[in-house]
Amino acid sequence: MNWENLFLQFILSYASTVCFGILLHIPARAYNMAGIIGGGVWEIYWLIYYHHHVGLAISNLLAAILISLFSMAAARHLKMPMIVFNVPALVTFVPGGQAYKMVRNFALGNYPLAMFYLYQVVVIVGAITLGFGLGELIIRAVKYIHTLSKSSKSKV
């Protein structure tokens, strides 16, 4: 594992997250936290996908779940909406490169390669969508369990 490469990956994903947050006009006090979430989750994704060779769908799914969980924690800590953190942190996972290659190969008549990239786009987008949903489900389940434990303690 190359530590310099991991550090560079973090810096670039942090910068892209913050820059996308600036484009979206999120509050300035959310830039750093959104960048940390985006950079940190990208590091985890990078390790899972490229070093542990976990599949494309599972690594994107885990990344989306982590973005959702960390965004909720940041939203509660900074008293801001969750979307302020999870949309900028998501920018590094959007399959823009694969979508470009799909359209390019389709226009050039290379249909098998175009279908390969279409498959990747669908898998990544589906995993991100499912990951955000599962992250929200985990958050609600933890909140529900916490509420149940509070109500059972008050009855005793």
Side-chain angles (χ1 to χ4, degrees), residues 37 41 62-76 82 85-86 131-132 134-140 142:
I37 293 170
V41 172
L62 291 173
I65 291 171
L66 290 174
I67 288 173
S68 182
L69 295 175
F70 292 153
S71 294
M72 178 54 79
R76 287 185 180 164
M82 184 175 156
F85 303 101
N86 64 8
F132 274 0
L134 288 174
E136 182 68 26
L137 181 69
I138 292 168
I139 291 166
R140 288 180 186 227
V142 168

Side-chain angles (χ1 to χ4, degrees), residues 1-70:
M1 182 179 333
N2 187 349
W3 293 102
E4 292 85 16
N5 185 22
L6 283 175
F7 181 70
L8 181 64
Q9 290 284 331
F10 177 80
I11 295 299
L12 292 175
S13 58
Y14 176 92
S16 66
T17 301
V18 171
C19 289
F20 196 70
I22 291 170
L23 287 175
L24 292 176
H25 300 290
I26 66 172
R29 64 188 182 105
Y31 291 162
N32 191 40
M33 187 63 75
I36 290 171
I37 293 170
V41 172
W42 178 258
E43 287 291 311
I44 294 168
Y45 166 81
W46 185 265
L47 290 171
I48 290 172
Y49 186 66
Y50 290 104
H51 291 287
H52 295 292
H53 305 291
V54 175
L56 185 66
I58 299 297
S59 50
N60 277 285
L61 176 73
L62 291 173
I65 291 171
L66 290 174
I67 288 173
S68 182
L69 295 175
F70 292 153

Side-chain angles (χ1 to χ4, degrees), residues 127-149:
I128 289 171
T129 305
L130 183 62
F132 274 0
L134 288 174
E136 182 68 26
L137 181 69
I138 292 168
I139 291 166
R140 288 180 186 227
V142 168
K143 186 186 282 187
Y144 180 74
I145 290 169
H146 183 68
T147 304
L148 283 179
S149 67

Side-chain angles (χ1 to χ4, degrees), residues 61-112:
L61 176 73
L62 291 173
I65 291 171
L66 290 174
I67 288 173
S68 182
L69 295 175
F70 292 153
S71 294
M72 178 54 79
R76 287 185 180 164
H77 177 70
L78 294 176
K79 296 177 179 53
M80 298 176 127
M82 184 175 156
I83 199 165
V84 168
F85 303 101
N86 64 8
V87 171
L90 179 67
V91 74
T92 54
F93 297 97
V94 173
Q98 287 94 337
Y100 167 76
K101 290 175 187 175
M102 176 196 66
V103 171
R104 182 174 183 269
N105 282 297
F106 183 74
L108 292 174
N110 191 354
Y111 300 119

